[in-house]
Amino acid sequence: MAKKINELMKNLLLTRLFIRELKKERRKIFLTVAGIAWGTLTIILLLSFGQGLATQMLRGQKGLGNNIVILYGGQTSIEYRGLPQGRPVQFFEEDVELLENSIPEIDNIAGEYDAWGAVYKYGDKVVNERCRGVSSVGYEDMRSHFPQAGGRFINENDIKYRRRVVFIGWGLKKDLIGDEDAIGKMVFINNIPFTVIGVMQKKMQMGMYGGPDENVGVIPSSTYKGIFSRNRLSRIIYQVNDIDKSEFVNQQVQRVLARKKQFDPDDNNALHYWDVIKNTKMTRQAFTGITIFLGVIGAMTLIIASVGVANIMYVTVKKRTCEIGIKRAIGAKKATIKIQFIIEALLINLSGGFIGASIAYGIIKAVQSIPQEGADFGKNMAMQILANPEFSWTVAISTGTILGIVGLLSGYFPAKRAAAVDPITALHYE
């Protein structure tokens, strides 16, 4: 019984000495904890904002289209079978049908007509904007033209029966109709009445041709040809069923149209491809590199702070050699000395990591809480991109694990040195 009481008193004494020594070193400990916290804060914020930026950029690219290629007609630059160079390559709706039937890897395809400066009128309000005619209902998914609640996109019957219906972007709706419910309203396009069947959902759009989709009205291609007396397509848009085959599909398109339009299949000026799939892959690769770069910067900051912990522990051992001797003299075991220094190092590292992670989490949540509902996607594009950092628990846990390992190592070696000090020599240390 007496032995157990003596052991308990000894442990209490050692604990009091441990706490007293931590208080004596509180200034150094505070500075080291602050350094660890700053390193943790830096790495989490860098990677969170980097990941958020990548996500928003990819989201913005999807605003242009989902796994699509936009095809434009060019001009031949090579003589072919007696035909001169310099011939324009033009598209018609039968070309869309030909490509759809010839290339099974094409999931959706649509021809697109484009008219600039169409006159939209509602009541006393008049707006000049673009008007597009589309030849397929698959256009909705390809170009991310999704309707707001209560509306719809153009369907097959609209195209078949040449209905005078229009699907409008939210910007055009705001300028033309204001805050009224647009569905079912009658608007005039070039003095011809059209019924509004849908309003586009707001979306972020990084890529565009001729301006953002928010300011465009879309009507059936059959109706478009009757109004604007035009049967030549402005472009063809197609969606592939496997993004890894986009290059192959483009080659097949070149081959099929070269045979139909009578130009050399190797003539790179005859057709022009805007391969959104390829651009998306390049963006992903670029942001992977950026994320790695930011991670390295943050990790270096963290390592420098952790090295500071190791240095402090070595200095602490030297300054407290006499105290270590006292502890050994009153019966403290080598393992007790080791555990003390290891615990000190772990507490410093993990405390700094927890504080840094908590501050980073608070900053990220504060930025995410910035209201964006109803924001103008065109005028506030920077806010849309930067105001969406993504807190990663994987990064936070990985950082905590690294700090734990560094803390263990930075405490173990000074602890091993401290435990090896001879008690008599330590008591006489100045």
Side-chain angles (χ1 to χ4, degrees):
M1 185 68 178
K3 186 177 180 180
K4 289 184 178 180
I5 292 174
N6 288 334
E7 189 71 23
L8 178 62
M9 294 298 294
K10 183 175 68 175
N11 290 335
L12 288 173
L13 178 60
L14 291 173
T15 302
R16 289 179 62 187
L17 286 172
F18 173 63
I19 295 172
R20 188 190 70 179
E21 288 158 7
L22 285 179
K23 289 181 178 179
K24 285 173 62 178
E25 300 293 332
R26 59 181 178 270
R27 179 178 295 178
K28 290 182 178 178
I29 291 174
F30 171 78
L31 293 175
T32 306
V33 168
I36 295 290
W38 177 254
T40 305
L41 173 68
T42 300
I43 191 170
I44 291 178
L45 286 183
L46 282 173
L47 293 178
S48 296
F49 276 91
Q51 182 59 46
L53 178 61
T55 300
Q56 290 299 95
M57 290 291 287
L58 291 171
R59 178 188 167 199
Q61 287 192 340
K62 279 195 172 182
L64 171 62
N66 183 29
N67 296 338
I68 65 169
V69 177
I70 304 170
L71 179 66
Y72 294 89
Q75 193 175 55
T76 61
S77 59
I78 302 174
E79 293 183 4
Y80 184 71
R81 294 182 179 179
L83 298 173
Q85 63 180 9
R87 293 176 293 116
V89 177
Q90 300 177 342
F91 299 143
F92 302 89
E93 288 193 23
E94 56 263 30
D95 299 323
V96 175
E97 295 177 7
L98 175 64
L99 292 174
E100 185 175 23
N101 295 329
S102 303
I103 306 174
E105 289 81 9
I106 290 180
D107 223 9
N108 280 316
I109 187 167
E112 185 180 84
Y113 298 92
D114 222 337
W116 296 79
V119 180
Y120 292 84
K121 182 178 180 183
Y122 175 75
D124 296 330
K125 193 75 173 180
V126 178
V127 176
N128 290 332
E129 280 294 354
R130 285 168 298 143
C131 180
R132 284 181 182 154
V134 298
S135 63
S136 170
V137 296
Y139 186 91
E140 174 184 357
D141 178 64
M142 287 192 294
R143 291 282 283 103
S144 300
H145 278 39
F146 302 115
Q148 296 179 12
R152 66 173 179 85
F153 192 68
I154 292 166
N155 60 32
E156 292 286 1
N157 286 332
D158 295 330
I159 298 173
K160 180 178 180 181
Y161 297 112
R162 301 184 181 182
R163 290 174 177 167
R164 292 178 180 176
V165 293
V166 60
F167 178 88
I168 60 176
W170 74 90
L172 178 57
K173 181 263 180 186
K174 180 180 178 181
D175 294 338
L176 190 64
I177 303 176
D179 296 329
E180 297 181 42
D181 184 8
I183 307 302
K185 291 292 192 302
M186 186 73 69
V187 300
F188 289 83
I189 303 178
N190 288 0
N191 293 321
I192 299 172
F194 280 77
T195 302
V196 178
I197 57 171
V199 178
M200 188 189 305
Q201 293 180 13
K202 290 188 176 182
K203 64 177 181 178
M204 180 185 293
Q205 184 180 354
M206 299 297 295
M208 59 190 73
Y209 48 90
D213 294 336
E214 63 178 280
N215 297 322
V216 176
V218 181
I219 64 176
S221 58
S222 54
T223 310
Y224 180 99
K225 289 188 289 184
I227 293 174
F228 294 96
S229 300
R230 181 180 176 186
N231 63 350
R232 180 169 59 85
L233 293 170
S234 300
R235 61 195 68 88
I236 295 175
I237 301 172
Y238 55 88
Q239 183 181 53
V240 301
N241 54 25
D242 185 346
I243 60 174
D244 294 325
K245 293 183 178 180
S246 65
E247 190 65 34
F248 169 76
V249 172
N250 294 344
Q251 293 172 1
Q252 294 299 100
V253 168
Q254 183 88 8
R255 178 185 60 81
V256 171
L257 290 180
R259 185 169 59 248
K260 170 80 181 325
K261 304 292 182 181
Q262 293 293 296
F263 63 82
D264 192 315
D266 295 325
D267 190 344
N268 294 324
N269 292 316
L271 300 176
H272 299 294
Y273 302 85
W274 183 354
D275 194 334
V276 179
I277 301 170
K278 185 177 180 180
N279 292 347
T280 301
K281 288 180 179 178
M282 291 175 63
T283 300
R284 289 183 187 277
Q285 292 172 355
F287 275 101
T288 298
I290 291 172
T291 300
I292 293 172
F293 176 71
L294 294 177
V296 169
I297 292 176
M300 289 176 64
T301 305
L302 201 59
I303 290 170
I304 291 170
S306 298
V307 168
V309 175
N311 288 334
I312 282 181
M313 297 308 297
Y314 273 108
V315 172
T316 299
V317 169
K318 188 173 182 180
K319 288 181 62 178
R320 289 158 54 182
T321 302
C322 186
E323 294 178 8
I324 292 169
I326 295 173
K327 291 177 183 178
R328 292 294 308 281
I330 64 175
K333 298 177 181 179
K334 287 185 177 182
T336 304
I337 302 297
K338 287 182 181 180
I339 290 172
Q340 174 189 338
F341 282 93
I342 290 172
I343 290 174
E344 286 183 28
L346 283 172
L347 282 175
I348 291 171
N349 276 273
L350 296 180
S351 296
F354 177 78
I355 293 170
S358 299
I359 295 173
Y361 183 81
I363 291 174
I364 290 168
K365 287 300 179 184
V367 173
Q368 289 176 344
S369 67
I370 297 174
Q372 297 184 39
E373 191 66 29
D376 188 320
F377 282 70
K379 296 179 180 178
N380 298 294
M381 184 66 73
M383 179 60 69
Q384 290 295 320
I385 294 175
L386 297 176
N388 290 276
E390 298 179 7
F391 182 83
S392 172
W393 285 105
T394 302
V395 172
I397 293 171
S398 300
T399 303
T401 302
I402 293 171
L403 287 173
I405 294 172
V406 172
L408 187 64
L409 294 175
S410 62
Y412 174 76
F413 293 106
K416 185 178 179 181
R417 178 183 177 186
V421 174
D422 181 71
I424 297 175
T425 304
L427 288 170
H428 292 85
Y429 184 81
E430 290 289 336

